Coordinates of all heavy atoms in Angstrom, one line a residue:
M1 N 92.6 36.5 -37.5 CA 93.2 35.2 -37.4 C 94.1 35.0 -38.6 O 93.9 35.5 -39.7 CB 92.1 34.2 -37.4 CG 92.6 32.7 -37.4 SD 91.4 31.5 -37.0 CE 91.7 31.4 -35.3
R2 N 95.2 34.3 -38.4 CA 96.1 34.0 -39.5 C 96.4 32.5 -39.5 O 96.5 31.8 -38.4 CB 97.5 34.7 -39.2 CG 98.5 34.4 -40.3 CD 99.8 35.1 -39.9 NE 99.7 36.5 -40.2 CZ 100.0 37.1 -41.3 NH1 100.5 36.4 -42.3 NH2 99.9 38.4 -41.5
K3 N 96.5 31.9 -40.7 CA 96.7 30.5 -40.9 C 97.3 30.2 -42.2 O 97.2 31.0 -43.1 CB 95.4 29.8 -40.8 CG 95.5 28.3 -40.5 CD 94.2 27.7 -40.0 CE 94.5 26.2 -39.7 NZ 93.3 25.5 -39.3
T4 N 98.0 29.1 -42.3 CA 98.7 28.7 -43.5 C 98.0 27.4 -44.0 O 97.8 26.5 -43.2 CB 100.2 28.4 -43.3 OG1 100.8 29.6 -42.8 CG2 100.9 28.0 -44.6
Y5 N 97.7 27.3 -45.3 CA 97.0 26.2 -45.9 C 97.9 25.6 -47.0 O 98.6 26.4 -47.7 CB 95.7 26.6 -46.5 CG 94.7 27.1 -45.5 CD1 94.6 28.5 -45.2 CD2 93.9 26.3 -44.8 CE1 93.8 29.0 -44.2 CE2 93.0 26.7 -43.8 CZ 93.0 28.1 -43.5 OH 92.1 28.5 -42.6
D6 N 97.7 24.3 -47.2 CA 98.3 23.7 -48.4 C 97.3 24.0 -49.6 O 96.1 24.1 -49.4 CB 98.3 22.2 -48.2 CG 99.3 21.7 -47.2 OD1 100.3 22.4 -47.0 OD2 99.0 20.7 -46.5
I7 N 98.0 24.2 -50.8 CA 97.2 24.5 -52.0 C 97.6 23.6 -53.1 O 98.7 23.0 -53.0 CB 97.3 26.0 -52.4 CG1 98.8 26.3 -52.7 CG2 96.8 27.0 -51.4 CD1 99.0 27.6 -53.4
E8 N 96.7 23.5 -54.1 CA 97.0 22.8 -55.3 C 96.9 23.8 -56.4 O 95.8 24.3 -56.6 CB 96.1 21.6 -55.5 CG 96.4 20.5 -54.5 CD 95.5 19.3 -54.6 OE1 94.8 19.2 -55.7 OE2 95.4 18.5 -53.7
V9 N 98.0 24.1 -57.1 CA 98.0 25.0 -58.2 C 99.0 24.6 -59.2 O 100.1 24.0 -58.8 CB 98.1 26.5 -57.7 CG1 99.5 26.7 -57.0 CG2 97.9 27.5 -58.7
D10 N 98.8 24.9 -60.5 CA 99.6 24.3 -61.5 C 100.9 25.1 -61.9 O 101.8 24.6 -62.4 CB 98.8 24.1 -62.8 CG 97.7 23.1 -62.6 OD1 97.9 22.2 -61.8 OD2 96.7 23.2 -63.3
C11 N 100.8 26.4 -61.7 CA 101.9 27.3 -62.1 C 102.0 28.5 -61.3 O 101.1 28.9 -60.5 CB 101.8 27.7 -63.6 SG 100.4 28.7 -64.0
A12 N 103.1 29.3 -61.4 CA 103.3 30.5 -60.6 C 102.3 31.6 -61.0 O 101.9 32.3 -60.1 CB 104.8 31.0 -60.8
N13 N 102.0 31.7 -62.3 CA 101.0 32.6 -62.7 C 99.6 32.3 -62.0 O 98.9 33.3 -61.6 CB 100.9 32.7 -64.2 CG 100.0 33.8 -64.7 OD1 100.1 34.9 -64.3 ND2 99.1 33.4 -65.6
C14 N 99.3 31.1 -62.0 CA 98.0 30.7 -61.3 C 98.1 31.0 -59.8 O 97.1 31.5 -59.3 CB 97.8 29.2 -61.5 SG 97.7 28.7 -63.2
A15 N 99.2 30.8 -59.2 CA 99.3 31.2 -57.8 C 99.1 32.7 -57.6 O 98.5 33.1 -56.6 CB 100.7 30.7 -57.3
N16 N 99.7 33.5 -58.5 CA 99.5 34.9 -58.4 C 98.0 35.3 -58.5 O 97.5 36.2 -57.8 CB 100.3 35.7 -59.5 CG 101.8 35.7 -59.1 OD1 102.2 35.5 -58.0 ND2 102.6 35.8 -60.2
K17 N 97.3 34.6 -59.5 CA 95.9 34.9 -59.6 C 95.1 34.5 -58.4 O 94.2 35.2 -58.0 CB 95.3 34.1 -60.8 CG 95.8 34.6 -62.2 CD 95.2 33.8 -63.3 CE 95.7 34.2 -64.6 NZ 95.1 33.3 -65.7
M18 N 95.5 33.4 -57.8 CA 94.8 33.0 -56.5 C 95.0 34.0 -55.4 O 94.1 34.3 -54.7 CB 95.4 31.6 -56.1 CG 94.8 30.5 -56.8 SD 95.5 28.9 -56.1 CE 94.7 28.8 -54.5
E19 N 96.3 34.5 -55.3 CA 96.6 35.5 -54.3 C 95.7 36.8 -54.5 O 95.1 37.3 -53.6 CB 98.0 35.9 -54.3 CG 98.5 36.8 -53.3 CD 100.0 37.0 -53.3 OE1 100.7 36.0 -53.2 OE2 100.4 38.2 -53.3
E20 N 95.7 37.2 -55.7 CA 94.9 38.4 -56.0 C 93.4 38.2 -55.7 O 92.7 39.1 -55.2 CB 95.1 38.8 -57.5 CG 96.4 39.4 -57.8 CD 96.7 39.6 -59.3 OE1 95.7 39.4 -60.1 OE2 97.8 39.9 -59.6
A21 N 92.9 37.0 -56.1 CA 91.5 36.7 -55.8 C 91.2 36.7 -54.3 O 90.1 37.2 -53.9 CB 91.1 35.4 -56.5
A22 N 92.1 36.1 -53.6 CA 91.9 35.9 -52.1 C 91.9 37.3 -51.5 O 91.1 37.6 -50.6 CB 93.0 35.1 -51.5
L23 N 92.8 38.2 -52.0 CA 92.8 39.6 -51.4 C 91.6 40.4 -51.7 O 91.3 41.3 -50.9 CB 94.1 40.3 -52.0 CG 95.4 39.8 -51.4 CD1 96.6 40.4 -52.2 CD2 95.5 40.2 -49.9
K24 N 90.8 40.0 -52.7 CA 89.6 40.7 -53.0 C 88.4 40.2 -52.2 O 87.3 40.7 -52.3 CB 89.3 40.6 -54.5 CG 90.2 41.3 -55.4 CD 89.9 41.2 -56.8 CE 91.0 41.9 -57.7 NZ 90.7 41.7 -59.1
T25 N 88.6 39.1 -51.4 CA 87.5 38.6 -50.6 C 87.3 39.5 -49.4 O 88.2 39.8 -48.7 CB 87.9 37.1 -50.1 OG1 88.3 36.4 -51.3 CG2 86.8 36.5 -49.4
N26 N 86.0 39.8 -49.1 CA 85.7 40.6 -48.0 C 86.1 39.9 -46.7 O 85.8 38.7 -46.5 CB 84.2 40.8 -47.9 CG 83.7 41.8 -49.0 OD1 84.4 42.7 -49.4 ND2 82.5 41.7 -49.4
G27 N 86.8 40.7 -45.9 CA 87.3 40.1 -44.6 C 88.7 39.7 -44.6 O 89.3 39.5 -43.5
V28 N 89.3 39.5 -45.8 CA 90.7 39.1 -45.9 C 91.6 40.4 -45.6 O 91.4 41.4 -46.3 CB 91.1 38.4 -47.2 CG1 92.6 38.2 -47.4 CG2 90.3 37.1 -47.3
I29 N 92.5 40.3 -44.7 CA 93.4 41.4 -44.4 C 94.7 41.2 -45.2 O 95.2 42.2 -45.8 CB 93.8 41.4 -42.9 CG1 92.5 41.6 -42.1 CG2 94.9 42.4 -42.6 CD1 92.7 41.3 -40.6
S30 N 95.3 40.0 -45.3 CA 96.5 39.8 -46.1 C 96.5 38.4 -46.6 O 95.9 37.5 -46.0 CB 97.7 40.1 -45.3 OG 97.9 39.2 -44.3
C31 N 97.2 38.2 -47.7 CA 97.4 36.9 -48.3 C 98.6 36.8 -49.1 O 98.9 37.7 -49.9 CB 96.1 36.5 -49.1 SG 96.3 34.9 -49.9
T32 N 99.4 35.7 -48.9 CA 100.5 35.4 -49.8 C 100.4 34.0 -50.2 O 100.2 33.1 -49.4 CB 101.8 35.6 -48.9 OG1 101.8 36.9 -48.4 CG2 103.0 35.4 -49.8
V33 N 100.6 33.8 -51.5 CA 100.6 32.4 -52.1 C 102.0 32.1 -52.6 O 102.5 32.9 -53.4 CB 99.5 32.3 -53.2 CG1 99.6 30.9 -53.8 CG2 98.1 32.5 -52.7
N34 N 102.6 31.0 -52.1 CA 103.9 30.6 -52.5 C 103.8 29.4 -53.4 O 103.5 28.3 -52.9 CB 104.8 30.4 -51.3 CG 106.2 30.1 -51.7 OD1 106.5 29.4 -52.6 ND2 107.1 30.7 -50.9
F35 N 104.1 29.5 -54.7 CA 104.0 28.4 -55.6 C 105.0 27.4 -55.3 O 104.8 26.2 -55.5 CB 104.1 28.9 -57.1 CG 104.2 27.8 -58.1 CD1 103.1 27.0 -58.3 CD2 105.4 27.6 -58.8 CE1 103.2 25.9 -59.2 CE2 105.5 26.5 -59.7 CZ 104.3 25.7 -59.9
M36 N 106.2 27.8 -54.9 CA 107.3 26.8 -54.7 C 107.0 25.8 -53.5 O 107.3 24.7 -53.6 CB 108.6 27.5 -54.4 CG 109.1 28.4 -55.6 SD 109.4 27.4 -57.1 CE 110.8 26.5 -56.6
T37 N 106.4 26.4 -52.5 CA 106.0 25.5 -51.3 C 104.6 25.0 -51.4 O 104.2 24.2 -50.5 CB 106.3 26.3 -50.0 OG1 105.4 27.4 -50.0 CG2 107.7 26.7 -49.9
L38 N 103.8 25.5 -52.3 CA 102.4 25.2 -52.4 C 101.6 25.5 -51.1 O 100.9 24.7 -50.6 CB 102.2 23.8 -52.9 CG 102.6 23.4 -54.3 CD1 102.5 22.0 -54.6 CD2 101.9 24.3 -55.3
K39 N 101.9 26.7 -50.6 CA 101.3 27.2 -49.4 C 100.6 28.6 -49.6 O 101.1 29.4 -50.4 CB 102.3 27.4 -48.3 CG 103.1 26.1 -47.9 CD 102.3 25.2 -47.0 CE 103.1 24.0 -46.6 NZ 102.3 23.0 -46.0
M40 N 99.5 28.7 -48.9 CA 98.8 30.0 -48.8 C 98.8 30.5 -47.4 O 98.3 29.8 -46.5 CB 97.4 29.9 -49.3 CG 96.6 31.2 -49.1 SD 94.8 31.0 -49.5 CE 94.9 31.3 -51.3
D41 N 99.4 31.7 -47.1 CA 99.4 32.3 -45.8 C 98.3 33.4 -45.8 O 98.4 34.3 -46.7 CB 100.7 32.8 -45.4 CG 100.8 33.4 -44.0 OD1 100.3 32.7 -43.1 OD2 101.2 34.5 -43.9
I42 N 97.3 33.3 -45.0 CA 96.2 34.2 -45.1 C 95.8 34.7 -43.7 O 95.9 34.0 -42.7 CB 95.0 33.6 -45.8 CG1 93.9 34.5 -46.1 CG2 94.5 32.3 -45.1 CD1 92.9 34.1 -47.1
E43 N 95.4 36.0 -43.6 CA 95.0 36.6 -42.4 C 93.6 37.2 -42.7 O 93.4 37.8 -43.7 CB 95.9 37.6 -41.9 CG 95.5 38.3 -40.6 CD 96.5 39.4 -40.2 OE1 97.5 39.7 -40.9 OE2 96.3 39.9 -39.1
W44 N 92.6 37.0 -41.8 CA 91.3 37.6 -41.9 C 90.8 38.1 -40.6 O 91.3 37.9 -39.6 CB 90.4 36.5 -42.5 CG 90.1 35.3 -41.6 CD1 89.1 35.2 -40.7 CD2 90.8 34.1 -41.6 NE1 89.1 34.0 -40.1 CE2 90.2 33.3 -40.6 CE3 91.9 33.6 -42.2 CZ2 90.7 32.0 -40.3 CZ3 92.4 32.4 -41.9 CH2 91.8 31.6 -40.9
D45 N 89.7 38.9 -40.7 CA 89.0 39.5 -39.6 C 88.6 38.4 -38.6 O 88.1 37.3 -39.0 CB 87.7 40.2 -40.0 CG 88.1 41.5 -40.8 OD1 89.2 42.0 -40.6 OD2 87.2 41.9 -41.6
D46 N 88.8 38.7 -37.3 CA 88.5 37.7 -36.3 C 87.0 37.4 -36.1 O 86.5 36.4 -35.6 CB 89.0 38.2 -34.9 CG 90.5 38.1 -34.8 OD1 91.1 37.3 -35.6 OD2 91.1 38.9 -34.0
D47 N 86.1 38.3 -36.7 CA 84.7 38.2 -36.6 C 84.1 37.1 -37.5 O 83.0 36.6 -37.3 CB 83.9 39.4 -37.0 CG 84.6 40.7 -36.6 OD1 85.6 40.7 -36.0 OD2 84.0 41.8 -37.0
I48 N 84.9 36.6 -38.4 CA 84.5 35.7 -39.4 C 85.1 34.3 -39.1 O 86.3 34.2 -38.8 CB 85.0 36.1 -40.9 CG1 84.5 37.5 -41.2 CG2 84.5 35.1 -41.9 CD1 85.1 38.1 -42.4
T49 N 84.3 33.3 -39.2 CA 84.8 31.9 -38.9 C 85.7 31.4 -40.0 O 85.6 31.9 -41.2 CB 83.6 30.9 -38.7 OG1 83.0 30.7 -40.0 CG2 82.7 31.3 -37.7
E50 N 86.6 30.5 -39.7 CA 87.5 30.0 -40.6 C 86.8 29.3 -41.8 O 87.1 29.5 -43.0 CB 88.5 29.0 -40.0 CG 89.4 28.3 -40.9 CD 90.3 27.3 -40.2 OE1 90.1 27.0 -39.0 OE2 91.2 26.8 -40.8
K51 N 85.8 28.6 -41.5 CA 85.0 27.9 -42.5 C 84.4 28.8 -43.5 O 84.5 28.7 -44.7 CB 84.0 27.0 -41.9 CG 83.2 26.2 -42.8 CD 82.2 25.3 -42.1 CE 81.3 24.5 -43.0 NZ 80.4 23.6 -42.3
D52 N 83.8 29.9 -43.0 CA 83.1 30.9 -43.8 C 84.1 31.6 -44.7 O 83.8 31.8 -45.9 CB 82.3 31.9 -43.0 CG 81.1 31.3 -42.4 OD1 80.6 30.2 -42.8 OD2 80.6 31.9 -41.4
I53 N 85.2 32.1 -44.2 CA 86.1 32.9 -45.0 C 86.8 32.0 -46.0 O 87.0 32.4 -47.2 CB 87.2 33.6 -44.1 CG1 87.9 34.7 -44.9 CG2 88.2 32.7 -43.5 CD1 87.1 35.9 -45.2
M54 N 87.2 30.8 -45.7 CA 87.9 29.9 -46.6 C 86.9 29.5 -47.7 O 87.4 29.3 -48.9 CB 88.5 28.8 -45.9 CG 89.7 29.2 -45.0 SD 90.9 30.4 -45.8 CE 91.5 29.4 -47.1
R55 N 85.7 29.3 -47.4 CA 84.7 28.9 -48.5 C 84.6 30.1 -49.5 O 84.6 29.8 -50.7 CB 83.3 28.7 -47.8 CG 82.3 28.2 -48.8 CD 81.0 27.8 -48.2 NE 81.2 27.4 -46.8 CZ 80.3 27.7 -45.8 NH1 79.3 28.5 -46.0 NH2 80.5 27.3 -44.6
E56 N 84.6 31.3 -49.0 CA 84.5 32.5 -49.9 C 85.9 32.7 -50.7 O 85.9 33.0 -51.9 CB 84.2 33.8 -49.2 CG 82.8 33.8 -48.7 CD 81.8 33.7 -49.8 OE1 81.9 34.4 -50.8 OE2 80.9 32.8 -49.7
V57 N 87.0 32.5 -50.0 CA 88.3 32.6 -50.7 C 88.4 31.5 -51.8 O 88.8 31.9 -52.9 CB 89.4 32.4 -49.7 CG1 90.8 32.2 -50.4 CG2 89.5 33.6 -48.7
L58 N 88.0 30.3 -51.5 CA 88.1 29.3 -52.5 C 87.1 29.6 -53.7 O 87.5 29.4 -54.9 CB 87.7 27.9 -51.9 CG 87.8 26.7 -52.9 CD1 89.2 26.6 -53.5 CD2 87.4 25.4 -52.2
K59 N 86.0 30.1 -53.4 CA 85.0 30.4 -54.4 C 85.6 31.5 -55.4 O 85.5 31.4 -56.6 CB 83.7 30.9 -53.8 CG 82.6 31.2 -54.8 CD 81.3 31.4 -54.0 CE 80.9 32.9 -54.0 NZ 79.7 33.2 -53.3
N60 N 86.2 32.5 -54.8 CA 86.8 33.6 -55.6 C 88.0 33.1 -56.3 O 88.2 33.5 -57.5 CB 87.2 34.8 -54.7 CG 86.0 35.6 -54.2 OD1 84.9 35.5 -54.8 ND2 86.2 36.3 -53.1
C61 N 88.8 32.2 -55.8 CA 90.0 31.7 -56.5 C 89.6 30.8 -57.7 O 90.2 30.9 -58.7 CB 90.8 30.9 -55.5 SG 91.8 31.8 -54.3
K62 N 88.5 30.1 -57.5 CA 88.0 29.2 -58.6 C 87.5 30.1 -59.8 O 87.4 29.6 -60.9 CB 87.0 28.2 -58.1 CG 87.7 27.1 -57.3 CD 86.8 25.9 -57.2 CE 87.6 24.8 -56.5 NZ 88.4 24.0 -57.4
K63 N 87.1 31.3 -59.5 CA 86.6 32.2 -60.6 C 87.7 32.5 -61.5 O 87.5 32.7 -62.7 CB 86.0 33.5 -60.0 CG 84.7 33.3 -59.3 CD 84.2 34.7 -58.8 CE 83.0 34.5 -58.0 NZ 82.6 35.8 -57.3
V64 N 89.0 32.6 -61.0 CA 90.1 32.9 -61.9 C 90.9 31.7 -62.3 O 91.7 31.8 -63.3 CB 91.0 34.0 -61.2 CG1 90.3 35.3 -61.1 CG2 91.6 33.5 -59.9
E65 N 90.9 30.7 -61.5 CA 91.7 29.5 -61.8 C 90.8 28.3 -61.3 O 90.9 27.8 -60.2 CB 93.0 29.6 -61.0 CG 94.1 28.8 -61.6 CD 94.3 29.0 -63.0 OE1 94.5 30.1 -63.5 OE2 94.3 28.0 -63.8
D66 N 90.0 27.8 -62.2 CA 89.0 26.8 -61.8 C 89.5 25.4 -61.3 O 88.8 24.7 -60.6 CB 88.0 26.6 -62.9 CG 88.6 26.0 -64.2 OD1 89.8 26.0 -64.3 OD2 87.8 25.6 -65.1
D67 N 90.8 25.1 -61.6 CA 91.3 23.8 -61.2 C 92.2 23.9 -59.9 O 92.8 23.0 -59.5 CB 92.1 23.1 -62.3 CG 93.3 23.9 -62.7 OD1 93.4 25.1 -62.4 OD2 94.2 23.3 -63.4
C68 N 92.2 25.1 -59.3 CA 93.0 25.3 -58.0 C 92.2 24.6 -56.8 O 91.0 24.4 -56.9 CB 93.2 26.7 -57.8 SG 91.8 27.7 -57.3
D69 N 92.9 24.4 -55.8 CA 92.3 23.9 -54.6 C 93.0 24.4 -53.3 O 94.2 24.6 -53.4 CB 92.2 22.4 -54.6 CG 91.2 21.8 -53.6 OD1 90.4 22.6 -53.1 OD2 91.2 20.6 -53.4
I70 N 92.3 24.6 -52.2 CA 92.9 25.0 -51.0 C 92.4 23.9 -50.0 O 91.2 23.6 -49.9 CB 92.4 26.3 -50.5 CG1 92.6 27.4 -51.5 CG2 93.0 26.7 -49.1 CD1 92.0 28.7 -51.3
I71 N 93.4 23.3 -49.3 CA 93.0 22.2 -48.4 C 92.8 22.8 -47.0 O 93.8 23.2 -46.4 CB 94.2 21.1 -48.4 CG1 94.2 20.4 -49.8 CG2 93.9 20.0 -47.4 CD1 95.2 21.0 -50.7
F72 N 91.6 22.8 -46.6 CA 91.3 23.3 -45.2 C 90.3 22.4 -44.6 O 89.7 21.5 -45.1 CB 90.8 24.8 -45.3 CG 89.5 25.0 -46.1 CD1 88.3 25.0 -45.4 CD2 89.5 25.2 -47.4 CE1 87.1 25.3 -46.1 CE2 88.4 25.5 -48.1 CZ 87.2 25.5 -47.5

C-alpha cells in the first residue's frame, strides 16, 4: 500500500532523519519525506495494516527527532 501523510518537522535535516528512520521500519518498502511540502510519501507491505505500520514508523521517527509528528 502507498499513501501520503502530512508531517510536522522543523528543518530539512530533521526531515532526512525521519526518512531514514521510516526506511528502517520493518515492512516499509519506500519512503520519501519532503520538507518543503511537509509531506511523507510511504509504501509498505500489504499484509500490514495502516494503523500498525504508521504507529511503528512514528515510533522510529521519534527516536531520532522527538518533536516530529505524522498526521494519520
